[in-house]
Amino acid sequence: MTEPGRQGTPLIQLRGVERVYGQGDARVVALGGIDLDVWPGEFVALMGPSGSGKSTTMNILGCLDTPTRGSYRLGDLEVTELDGDGRALLRRYTLGFVFQGFHLLPRVTAQENVELPLVYQGVPTHERRLRARESLAQVGLSGREHHVPSELSGGQQQRVAIARAIVSQPKVLLADEPTGNLDSARSHEIMALLTRFNRERHLTIVMVTHEPDIAAYARRVVHFRDGHIERIEESS
Amino acid sequence: MLGNALREAIRSLGRNALRSFLTVLGIVIGVGAVIAMVTLGRGATQAVSDQISSLGSNIVFLRPARGFGPGQSIIPFKVEDAQALAREVPGVVWSTPVSLRTLTVVAGNQSWSTTVVGAGEGYLEARRWEIVRGRGFLPSELRAGVAVCIIGQTVARELFGADDPIGQRMRVDKFSCEIIGLLDAKGQSAMGNDQDDIALIPLRTFQRRISGSTDVDSIQLSLADGVDNERVLQDIRLVLRERRHLSANMEDNFRLVDSKEIERTLTSTTRMLTTLLGAVAGISLLVGGIGIMNIMLVSVTERTREIGIRLAIGARAADVMLQFLVEAVVLSFLGGTIGIILALTFSFVAAQKLAFPFSPDYGIVVIAALFSGAIGIVFGFFPARRAARLDPIEALRHE
């Protein structure tokens, strides 16, 4: 097990990132110019009260939203210079998402949900099947391939979502309150799973949470307040 | 990508099978109506031209008419006029004077009202009409005005049933004649009357026993195949004008109708009807397209979250657009196909009932199928674009 180093270039580099909604009197500053680096293989948690800017940061990192000002480098790409299709391709090949509400396609089996990113990557059917099955096995859901989400428990649904996020072998996994809809026991199972992928595969994880015991799984916790980074806490 | 989009579209439509079916009903009816109209229209046109050619090909009817101006009376034709036309106009094969009257004919205790035709020489030849039993008129019978007759199938059936009419006697008006021949069946004419409801007697017999004058009602001419109709018709006019002593400044006091012209009029009428009905069908296609657009918009709203998920895991706007366009096209193409099948079935049955030939235009069928697909593209475009333009964050938050 190699300790994820902070040497070399960061995988993610935010510089002076601002996000402003509306204009004039309705102007709301969601992010007031933040700097953040995430190195390859890191596990970072973003914390803060609602409206503090953590979710906005998450959306920008996930290329779902674009900064009003500032720079976002992902690997050697300047994301702010990309158009919608360019950002879509980053989401397709480089990023993986896990959401609080699972966000699985409701009437489609677990297997097909996991295959979906590979469909957009144009992976041939046969390979797609194998990789999706393997991915489900890694989250401990072998034998549940043909269940639709409504036949699975919340914890199982979130595992399907994790399988879907890792099946495309992304560089960064973005988890937006992944345990927010789960009880404590399920939450720790999910966190154990994420920690394992972080350790074993050096998968870089950025996670939003407001639960301190969940944030404790991360090596670094970034605290947000009023659209700024208040402090960064390192755990040993 | 397209293959996947197609599979997903079919699945997603299958999930809402009833709704999908109701949505495409407009297209089904629209395409069905177009195909049924065109197919039946073509059948009708063909039926009309078949019936006209059953008159005998290239026939001209001449009828006396009132000339233009006051004090004009109808001057009937004479047998000599028919003879002169045969003699003097090149291209005229047969020229036969015809008189007819509706009379009651009686045999045994059966009576029947039919058209009694006084036929001159060449009547059967001009109409290309065969005798299936017995014989035609002999030249001597035509000259002498003997009381013999040839009857059509309908008259034979009404008077004699299944019995052989040849050699039997039949009373026409006030005289009795011997049946010497039975005509082949011709069926309905283009105007819908029964051509087999007829009894032929020699023209001279007709003049002596029925009309009591040497006038004839009309002249039927048959023209040689491949002649210049315009020229022959012009020659006929000139010969008749001379025989009827018309000076250059007087109007024709007869009417001249050729079968080609009847055919043209009837086909253009049928064609116009087809076009009109086709336009009505086109409007229902438009309505069907709007139905598809409506349900696709509903579907985009319902599946906003799904669209958000797809965008988050790497679908481009174009991928989402393609997905919804394919769905709309599959929907409308499916409707079109159902419409085509229903229409062909319906026209087949209708053609049998109406005794039309069943003649589908496969070109139109293919065009209708492609067109229904195109409706999907046109009316699916707006909903698909709306889906593609969704903001992923908003879409994911949508309940």
Side-chain angles (χ1 to χ4, degrees):
Chain A
M1 290 279 138
T2 47
E3 185 70 11
R6 299 257 186 94
Q7 57 275 67
T9 34
L11 180 58
I12 291 170
Q13 222 174 6
L14 297 183
R15 287 293 175 271
V17 169
E18 265 183 48
R19 184 65 174 99
V20 178
Y21 296 103
Q23 280 176 333
D25 289 344
R27 202 176 122 102
V28 177
V29 180
L31 269 187
I34 62 160
D35 299 336
L36 181 68
D37 290 330
V38 178
W39 276 268
E42 262 203 302
F43 190 162
V44 178
L46 312 183
M47 279 194 84
S50 59
S52 61
K54 60 184 194 305
S55 289
T56 307
T57 307
M58 196 65 175
N59 288 337
I60 288 173
L61 289 176
C63 300
L64 294 168
D65 197 2
T66 46
T68 315
R69 201 178 308 160
S71 143
Y72 169 21
R73 289 192 73 80
L74 178 60
D76 37 341
L77 277 173
E78 177 56 52
V79 176
T80 51
E81 286 168 4
L82 296 175
D83 61 1
D85 282 357
R87 290 196 300 274
L89 293 179
L90 273 182
R91 294 197 294 269
R92 186 183 294 182
Y93 290 102
T94 314
L95 304 173
F97 287 91
V98 177
F99 301 97
Q100 176 179 5
F102 319 139
H103 286 339
L104 300 174
L105 296 190
R107 280 165 298 199
V108 163
T109 63
Q111 165 89 17
E112 286 166 309
N113 263 297
V114 176
E115 278 184 36
L116 201 56
L118 302 180
V119 170
Y120 285 113
Q121 285 188 5
V123 174
T125 316
H126 183 67
E127 185 188 337
R128 218 158 68 202
R129 294 242 163 89
L130 285 179
R131 280 173 64 180
R133 202 167 300 150
E134 190 194 359
S135 200
L136 281 168
Q138 281 174 350
V139 298
L141 282 181
S142 286
R144 306 278 169 155
E145 287 91 348
H146 301 295
H147 291 234
V148 294
S150 58
E151 295 167 348
L152 298 171
S153 71
Q156 287 171 327
Q157 288 188 47
Q158 192 61 302
R159 284 199 236 178
V160 174
I162 292 170
R164 181 180 66 187
I166 60 164
V167 74
S168 56
Q169 293 167 340
K171 286 209 179 74
V172 184
L173 181 79
L174 299 168
D176 192 353
E177 305 214 24
T179 60
N181 283 7
L182 301 175
D183 63 32
S184 169
R186 286 328 126 230
S187 295
H188 289 287
E189 278 173 27
I190 292 296
M191 288 321 296
L193 202 55
L194 289 181
T195 311
R196 207 183 83 215
F197 286 128
N198 173 248
R199 291 245 171 88
E200 290 176 6
R201 299 184 170 198
H202 307 294
L203 177 65
T204 310
I205 300 179
V206 179
M207 172 181 73
V208 166
T209 184
H210 57 258
E211 294 164 86
D213 60 329
I214 298 299
Y217 284 89
R219 195 134 306 147
R220 214 149 50 107
V221 181
V222 182
H223 291 271
F224 281 77
R225 183 170 291 276
D226 300 331
H228 291 279
I229 293 175
E230 192 182 40
R231 66 197 156 89
I232 298 179
E233 203 181 333
E234 311 249 346
S235 69
S236 47
Chain B
M1 197 64 235
L2 195 64
N4 274 309
L6 208 62
R7 240 199 346 260
E8 285 200 25
I10 291 166
R11 277 180 51 164
S12 125
L13 295 174
R15 261 184 229 123
N16 278 313
L18 179 64
R19 188 167 90 179
S20 304
F21 173 72
L22 292 175
T23 305
V24 299
L25 214 50
I27 300 284
V28 171
I29 293 168
V31 168
V34 170
I35 301 289
M37 286 314 134
V38 170
T39 307
L40 287 177
R42 270 168 55 102
T45 311
Q46 201 167 316
V48 165
S49 45
D50 285 355
Q51 281 161 354
I52 285 169
S53 63
S54 80
L55 281 176
S57 71
N58 225 351
I59 277 201
V60 179
F61 299 94
L62 289 173
R63 220 175 273 282
R66 211 178 290 274
F68 189 76
Q72 300 274 354
S73 59
I74 293 178
I75 304 162
F77 293 129
K78 299 283 180 191
V79 177
E80 291 72 29
D81 293 323
Q83 289 164 349
L85 287 171
R87 207 168 47 239
E88 292 170 30
V89 180
V92 170
V93 181
W94 292 99
S95 173
T96 174
V98 178
S99 283
L100 50 87
R101 201 158 291 180
T102 301
L103 292 170
T104 303
V105 292
V106 182
N109 51 9
Q110 300 291 320
S111 75
W112 180 248
S113 174
T114 188
T115 307
V116 177
V117 173
E121 201 189 350
Y123 177 86
L124 292 175
E125 289 83 351
R127 295 204 54 183
R128 300 207 173 155
W129 209 342
E130 301 288 331
I131 287 174
V132 287
R133 288 255 282 291
R135 59 177 179 85
F137 299 127
L138 303 172
S140 60
E141 288 169 336
L142 288 168
R143 271 197 305 278
V146 179
V148 288
C149 60
I150 301 173
I151 58 175
Q153 295 280 351
T154 304
V155 176
R157 192 179 61 241
E158 294 298 333
L159 293 187
F160 302 104
D163 296 345
D164 187 359
I166 307 296
Q168 309 246 37
R169 295 198 75 81
M170 173 177 91
R171 196 158 60 78
V172 180
D173 202 22
K174 295 183 190 69
F175 69 97
S176 164
C177 64
E178 183 195 349
I179 296 167
I180 58 166
L182 177 65
L183 291 165
D184 195 8
K186 275 229 179 206
Q188 288 204 339
S189 78
M191 321 297 180
N193 44 358
D194 179 5
Q195 298 183 87
D196 297 321
D197 189 3
I198 196 169
L200 306 179
I201 58 175
L203 178 63
R204 180 138 309 163
T205 317
F206 186 94
Q207 290 170 330
R208 281 196 197 140
R209 309 267 187 130
I210 295 171
S211 68
S213 82
T214 55
D215 297 343
V216 295
D217 296 341
S218 65
I219 298 174
Q220 284 185 15
L221 302 117
S222 86
L223 308 187
D225 287 333
V227 296
D228 177 1
N229 268 41
E230 291 297 310
R231 186 191 59 74
V232 177
L233 294 181
Q234 188 60 22
D235 288 352
I236 293 169
R237 272 190 66 224
L238 291 176
V239 170
L240 277 180
R241 285 179 68 85
E242 194 189 320
R243 291 186 62 85
R244 291 162 81 85
H245 312 294
L246 294 173
S247 57
N249 60 355
M250 289 170 81
E251 296 276 328
D252 288 350
N253 59 3
F254 51 88
R255 261 173 51 78
L256 193 154
V257 182
D258 77 307
S259 60
K260 288 224 165 135
E261 191 191 315
I262 301 175
E263 184 175 356
R264 271 195 298 278
T265 314
L266 284 173
T267 17
S268 79
T269 312
T270 343
R271 206 164 279 155
M272 197 181 69
L273 272 176
T274 311
T275 314
L276 271 175
L277 293 168
V280 171
I283 290 170
S284 73
L285 272 185
L286 183 74
V287 174
I290 292 170
I292 286 196
M293 174 145 81
N294 185 31
I295 215 70
M296 288 306 296
L297 282 173
V298 169
S299 170
V300 168
T301 308
E302 277 179 354
R303 287 155 69 188
T304 298
R305 196 131 79 111
E306 175 192 328
I307 295 165
I309 295 170
R310 287 173 182 278
L311 289 170
I313 63 173
R316 288 169 306 173
D319 296 321
V320 173
M321 177 124 183
L322 182 74
Q323 184 193 343
F324 280 89
L325 262 188
V326 165
E327 209 171 301
V329 171
V330 167
L331 204 55
S332 62
F333 185 76
L334 205 73
T337 311
I338 297 174
I340 288 168
I341 293 168
L342 287 181
L344 290 181
T345 316
F346 170 77
S347 338
F348 181 76
V349 174
Q352 304 254 302
K353 289 248 182 288
L354 296 169
F356 285 174
F358 172 63
S359 71
D361 181 340
Y362 290 106
I364 295 285
V365 169
V366 171
I367 289 172
L370 294 179
F371 187 71
S372 62
I375 285 178
I377 294 181
V378 171
F379 290 96
F381 180 81
F382 175 62
R385 198 184 56 171
R386 173 176 280 196
R389 286 187 176 177
L390 285 175
D391 174 51
I393 300 171
E394 290 293 323
L396 280 172
R397 237 180 251 152
H398 192 270
E399 284 308 313

